[in-house]
Amino acid sequence: MGEAPQDMEDFQRAYSRLCKDSGAEPQDSVLQQLHELPRGRLDLAAQSLTVDTCRALGKLLQSALLRELVLSDCMLSEEGATLLLQGLCANSVVRSLDLKGNNLRALGAEALGRLLRQNKSIQRCPSGHAPDSAHSLTLEWNNLGMWEDAFATFCGALAANSALRQLDLRNNQITHKGAEELALALKMNSSLKELDLRWNNLGLLGGRALASCLPSNRTLWRLELAGNSIPGDILRAVEQAMSHNQDQQASLRENQARTQVLSKEVRTLQEEKSRQFLDLMETINKQREEIARSGRATAVQVAQLQEALNERHSIIKALKAKLQMAEAALVLSEQKAQDLGELLTSSEQKQQSLAQRQAREQRLEQQEAAEREAKLLRDLSAANEKNLLLRNQVDELERKSKSLQEQLFMARQELTTVSTELKMRAVQAEERLELEKKRSRQNLEDSEQLRSKEVEHMTRHLEDSERAMQERLQRLEAMRLSLEEELSRAKAVVLSERSQAEEELIKAKNQVRLEEQQHRAHLEERLRLLTQARDEAQGTCLQQKQVVSEAQARAGQLSLQVEGLRRRLEELQQQELSNKDQEKVAEVARVRVELQEQNGRLQAELTAQEALKEKAAALERQLKVIMSDHREALLDRESENASLREKLRLKEAEMARIRDEEAQRASFLQNAVLTYVQGSPLRAPSPQK
């Protein structure tokens, strides 16, 4: 085709021309939508598109500047959908495609697979757009899952795709086999972030297949599976995997931001160091050039003065006294240079002492970390001992329950003895009744009635006492069962609390180890930076030493030149007594000017040395600041360790309180049982005679 249509009017004219070229009339509804829609978006939702219209739109979509294409509920035929998707294969701009409710089947799934493999806008992001812009494909309310081979082709294309972000496959009749194909595609796909599979027919097998593929996929963070008859445990596993992927994506973004910030800081530091180095090299080059110029000028002057000295060799003997004075001045300058060297050596010794002190502090920190770890191990052993004490208390409770059972057994034995005693008393009463019959036969009828009443009263009383004893036994048995249940609950509570305490101790130990490792790495990095700064300071000191030595050499040369010039000045002063006074006065003035210039250069060199001393002092101050920051970091770490120890102490106190409550509760129950057993009237009252 020719150039791509730049706006909707061009697109409308191109659509009409293509329809007329193919011998078909353009659809009025499509023309109206093309006229009303905004730039960069084509919305043909709920428009019944013919095959000719689909063919014309497919040709136009090959080069159309559209970022979003909406073809939902268009009742596309298989041929029309294939023509549209074939045109989109060559498009490099479309970002979002909506094919909802078009009843796509086998041919549509294959065409979608070709689209995912060939479409350039999905394969890579164009320049000028963010990589996470909407790369979405909506296929809701179709029938892609009914044809397994075609859906497998679509899943293979999805596996090869590297830029699609969102995929909507709701209500597509996808079975468990289709879910297995999707799981294979998700294992290979590295760009898809959101997948919607609601209201399909995945079932248990499909849910398991999708859950098994999620550990291999680290980019998918949203997977919707509602309405697929999938068990709740699989859905929870999927949600857990999605949350894990979300956390990984967040941590990855955070790490990328941190690396960018650190790289920027490193670049700025490197630029600053290079700029400082260039400035230092420039100053050194300037000093060297000045020295070379002064050397050349002095060489010329020495040559000129040598000629004058050769002419006036006889005057040198008169100037020996002045030469001795100049030698004394030279000794003073040498002494000053020696003092400067001693200052440099003292600064080097201070730097070495600082490095040794820092190494000692590092060793002390490591020892303190080892002591803290040993203390935590001792705390852990103490917690284990406390757990053993809890176990012993549980054993004591079991022994108390056994003793209660024995007491119940003794109560039963007492009940049997009481019943036998009552029977013996009944036999004795019968014997007494027989004796009374023999003694008083006259009152037989009265005594017979009285005895029958007493027998009935005794039998009723015996039955009542037996029923009361049985009820008491039942109550004691129920109480024993309740005590056993409460004892089992107490055991379960103690075991759960012990497991929770062990887990909390393990977590605290791991956290302390991790924090110590991080702190150790941070300290090592600080130490490395300090060593680098120390090496740089030593290098600068060496450079300063070289500059000082060169300055000393120059000072010696200049002192020699000054002495020569002074001698020449004396000679010229003596020559002023002669007839050539005017010529010598001019030469003396010139020599004085040269001496003043040389004195100015010497003053400049002295100021440069003072600047170097100030730089060395600044480096020492920087080292002090770094050491103070290091001490503050150590204090923060100690405060964190103290807070962790306080948390451990609170946990131990809580465990001790729980143990005391359980022991107190067991003692209350034991006392209640004992008081109930001791206070209950086990013996029935003896019958009245």
Side-chain angles (χ1 to χ4, degrees):
M1 288 183 65
E3 296 182 355
Q6 298 299 322
D7 54 9
M8 285 301 171
E9 293 180 358
D10 295 339
F11 198 89
Q12 187 177 4
R13 287 195 294 271
Y15 166 68
S16 301
R17 189 183 70 252
L18 287 173
C19 288
K20 290 178 181 178
D21 291 342
S22 63
E25 290 294 329
Q27 292 182 238
D28 295 334
S29 58
V30 175
L31 290 173
Q32 185 178 1
Q33 291 294 327
L34 292 176
H35 180 70
E36 294 176 354
L37 287 177
R39 182 181 178 86
R41 185 173 184 271
L42 179 57
D43 189 354
L44 297 176
Q47 300 294 331
S48 181
L49 303 180
T50 62
V51 176
D52 295 330
T53 298
C54 292
R55 185 179 292 108
L57 289 175
K59 292 179 180 179
L60 288 174
L61 289 174
Q62 292 179 3
S63 58
L65 300 178
L66 295 174
R67 299 182 63 83
E68 185 177 359
L69 180 58
V70 181
L71 297 172
S72 59
D73 299 323
C74 290
M75 298 301 293
L76 297 176
S77 62
E78 290 284 318
E79 184 180 359
T82 304
L83 291 170
L84 286 171
L85 294 174
Q86 186 176 359
L88 285 172
C89 288
N91 189 285
S92 61
V93 181
V94 172
R95 285 289 195 263
S96 177
L97 178 59
D98 189 352
L99 292 172
K100 173 185 174 183
N102 283 291
N103 197 19
L104 298 180
R105 293 182 290 277
L107 294 177
E110 294 175 355
L112 286 169
R114 288 192 296 273
L115 173 67
L116 290 179
R117 288 182 184 275
Q118 299 176 12
N119 189 283
K120 302 300 181 182
S121 64
I122 296 178
Q123 292 297 326
R124 63 179 184 274
C125 289
S127 62
H129 297 286
D132 288 334
S133 59
H135 296 268
S136 63
L137 180 59
T138 303
L139 299 173
E140 183 183 1
W141 287 104
N142 287 290
N143 292 319
L144 299 177
M146 294 182 66
W147 285 267
E148 296 176 358
D149 296 335
F151 192 72
T153 303
F154 173 78
C155 292
L158 178 62
N161 187 275
S162 62
L164 187 63
R165 301 291 187 269
Q166 300 175 2
L167 179 59
D168 190 350
L169 291 173
R170 289 177 289 177
N171 293 290
N172 269 277
Q173 304 295 324
I174 300 173
T175 60
H176 64 280
K177 293 184 179 179
E180 292 173 357
E181 296 292 336
L182 274 175
L184 294 175
L186 289 176
K187 285 183 180 180
M188 300 173 66
N189 187 281
S190 62
S191 63
L192 191 64
K193 293 186 177 180
E194 299 183 19
L195 177 59
D196 197 344
L197 294 172
R198 288 178 289 180
W199 309 111
N200 284 292
N201 299 321
L202 303 182
L204 175 62
L205 298 176
R208 286 180 179 175
L210 289 172
S212 64
C213 79
L214 292 178
S216 302
N217 190 309
R218 299 298 182 187
T219 57
L220 189 67
W221 59 269
R222 182 171 175 267
L223 179 59
E224 298 290 342
L225 296 174
N228 282 282
S229 301
I230 297 175
D233 55 350
I234 296 176
L235 291 176
R236 285 191 295 274
V238 170
E239 290 178 358
Q240 187 176 3
M242 293 298 99
S243 63
H244 181 64
N245 287 346
Q246 290 176 4
D247 295 338
Q248 278 192 343
Q249 292 291 330
S251 62
L252 180 61
R253 287 193 294 271
E254 186 177 356
N255 289 330
Q256 289 176 355
R258 288 180 179 176
T259 52
Q260 289 178 359
V261 172
L262 289 175
S263 63
K264 287 181 181 178
E265 291 181 356
V266 168
R267 283 197 297 271
T268 54
L269 289 173
Q270 288 177 353
E271 291 174 356
E272 186 177 357
K273 291 291 183 183
S274 62
R275 190 165 54 252
Q276 292 177 358
F277 179 73
L278 291 174
D279 294 338
L280 185 60
M281 291 300 294
E282 187 176 356
T283 56
I284 290 170
N285 291 328
K286 288 180 179 179
Q287 289 178 0
R288 287 178 180 174
E289 290 175 357
E290 290 178 358
I291 291 168
R293 284 197 300 271
S294 64
R296 287 193 295 270
T298 52
V300 174
Q301 292 176 1
V302 166
Q304 293 175 357
L305 293 172
Q306 187 67 33
E307 293 177 357
L309 287 172
N310 291 329
E311 292 176 356
R312 297 171 180 83
H313 184 67
S314 60
I315 305 172
I316 294 173
K317 294 179 181 180
L319 298 174
K320 286 183 178 180
K322 294 182 180 179
L323 180 61
Q324 291 177 358
M325 293 173 67
E327 287 178 354
L330 179 61
V331 168
L332 290 173
S333 63
E334 288 178 354
Q335 189 175 1
K336 289 180 181 179
Q338 189 175 2
D339 293 336
L340 290 173
E342 290 177 356
L343 286 173
L344 287 173
T345 54
S346 63
S347 64
E348 289 178 355
Q349 290 176 0
K350 286 180 181 179
Q351 288 180 357
Q352 291 177 0
S353 63
L354 284 173
Q356 291 175 0
R357 191 184 305 162
Q358 187 177 3
R360 286 196 298 273
E361 289 179 357
Q362 182 70 22
R363 286 195 296 273
L364 289 173
E365 288 174 1
Q366 292 178 357
Q367 291 177 1
E368 289 177 358
E371 290 176 358
R372 286 196 296 272
E373 187 174 0
K375 188 174 181 180
L376 289 173
L377 291 173
R378 288 195 298 272
D379 294 338
L380 182 62
S381 63
N384 292 326
E385 291 177 358
K386 290 178 180 179
N387 289 328
L388 291 174
L389 291 174
L390 288 173
R391 289 179 182 173
N392 294 329
Q393 290 179 1
V394 170
D395 295 336
E396 289 179 0
L397 290 173
E398 290 179 353
R399 286 195 297 272
K400 288 179 181 179
S401 65
K402 289 180 181 179
S403 64
L404 290 174
Q405 291 177 358
E406 291 177 356
Q407 290 178 2
L408 290 172
F409 182 72
M410 294 295 292
R412 288 179 181 176
Q413 286 182 353
E414 288 180 359
L415 180 62
T416 53
T417 54
V418 167
S419 60
T420 52
E421 186 177 354
L422 289 173
K423 288 179 181 180
M424 291 175 64
R425 286 183 180 180
V427 171
Q428 291 176 2
E430 288 178 355
E431 291 177 356
R432 288 175 183 175
L433 287 172
E434 289 177 357
L435 291 172
E436 287 178 359
K437 284 180 182 179
K438 291 178 181 179
R439 289 175 183 177
S440 58
R441 291 181 178 177
Q442 294 178 358
N443 299 325
L444 183 60
E445 293 178 357
D446 297 334
S447 63
E448 190 71 26
Q449 292 177 358
L450 183 61
R451 279 196 298 274
S452 63
K453 288 180 182 179
E454 287 180 355
V455 168
E456 288 177 358
H457 178 71
M458 286 175 68
T459 53
R460 282 196 302 272
H461 187 69
L462 285 172
E463 289 176 356
D464 293 337
S465 63
E466 286 180 358
R467 281 196 299 272
M469 291 301 291
Q470 288 177 358
E471 289 177 356
R472 191 170 297 158
L473 282 174
Q474 289 177 359
R475 285 196 298 273
L476 288 173
E477 189 69 24
M479 189 178 295
R480 184 180 65 82
L481 293 173
S482 65
L483 287 172
E484 289 178 354
E485 290 177 356
E486 190 168 358
L487 183 61
S488 63
R489 285 196 299 272
K491 285 182 180 178
V493 169
V494 169
L495 290 174
S496 64
E497 290 177 353
R498 186 183 65 187
S499 62
Q500 289 178 359
E502 290 177 355
E503 290 177 357
E504 289 178 356
L505 285 173
I506 291 169
K507 288 180 180 177
K509 187 177 179 182
N510 293 330
Q511 186 177 2
V512 169
R513 286 183 179 175
L514 181 60
E515 290 178 353
E516 287 182 355
Q517 290 177 359
Q518 292 177 355
H519 183 59
R520 192 175 300 164
H522 182 65
L523 291 177
E524 290 176 355
E525 184 67 21
R526 281 279 185 88
L527 183 60
R528 185 178 64 79
L529 293 174
L530 289 173
T531 53
Q532 289 180 358
R534 186 194 63 190
D535 295 336
E536 291 177 358
Q538 289 178 356
T540 54
C541 288
L542 290 174
Q543 291 177 0
Q544 291 173 4
K545 284 182 180 178
Q546 292 176 0
V547 172
V548 169
S549 62
E550 291 176 358
Q552 289 175 358
R554 283 185 60 197
Q557 293 177 0
L558 292 172
S559 64
L560 293 174
Q561 292 175 5
V562 168
E563 289 299 325
L565 292 171
R566 284 179 181 175
R567 287 195 296 270
R568 186 178 176 187
L569 183 60
E570 293 294 333
E571 292 173 359
L572 291 173
Q573 287 177 356
Q574 289 179 0
Q575 286 178 0
E576 285 178 355
L577 300 173
S578 64
N579 296 324
K580 299 178 181 179
D581 290 335
Q582 295 179 356
E583 295 178 357
K584 301 301 178 181
V585 167
E587 190 175 358
V588 166
R590 184 174 58 80
V591 171
R592 285 178 180 174
V593 171
E594 289 177 355
L595 286 172
Q596 289 176 359
E597 291 178 354
Q598 288 178 0
N599 287 326
R601 284 195 292 271
L602 287 173
Q603 291 292 332
E605 288 178 358
L606 288 174
T607 55
Q609 288 178 2
E610 290 177 357
L612 290 174
K613 288 180 181 179
E614 290 177 357
K615 287 183 179 179
L619 288 173
E620 290 179 357
R621 287 194 297 272
Q622 188 176 3
L623 284 173
K624 289 180 180 179
V625 170
I626 291 170
M627 292 296 292
S628 64
D629 294 338
H630 179 63
R631 291 192 186 94
E632 289 177 358
L634 286 176
L635 292 174
D636 294 337
R637 185 60 56 192
E638 288 178 357
S639 64
E640 290 178 0
N641 289 330
S643 64
L644 288 173
R645 285 195 293 271
E646 184 66 21
K647 289 180 181 178
L648 287 172
R649 188 181 64 76
L650 292 174
K651 289 290 182 184
E652 290 176 356
E654 187 175 0
M655 291 174 64
R657 182 180 60 77
I658 292 169
R659 287 196 298 270
D660 295 337
E661 289 179 357
E662 293 296 330
Q664 189 176 4
R665 191 184 302 170
S667 63
F668 286 163
L669 291 172
Q670 184 179 2
N671 293 328
V673 171
L674 289 174
T675 53
Y676 182 77
V677 171
Q678 291 175 1
S680 61
L682 294 176
R683 296 178 180 275
S686 60
Q688 296 179 358
K689 294 182 181 180

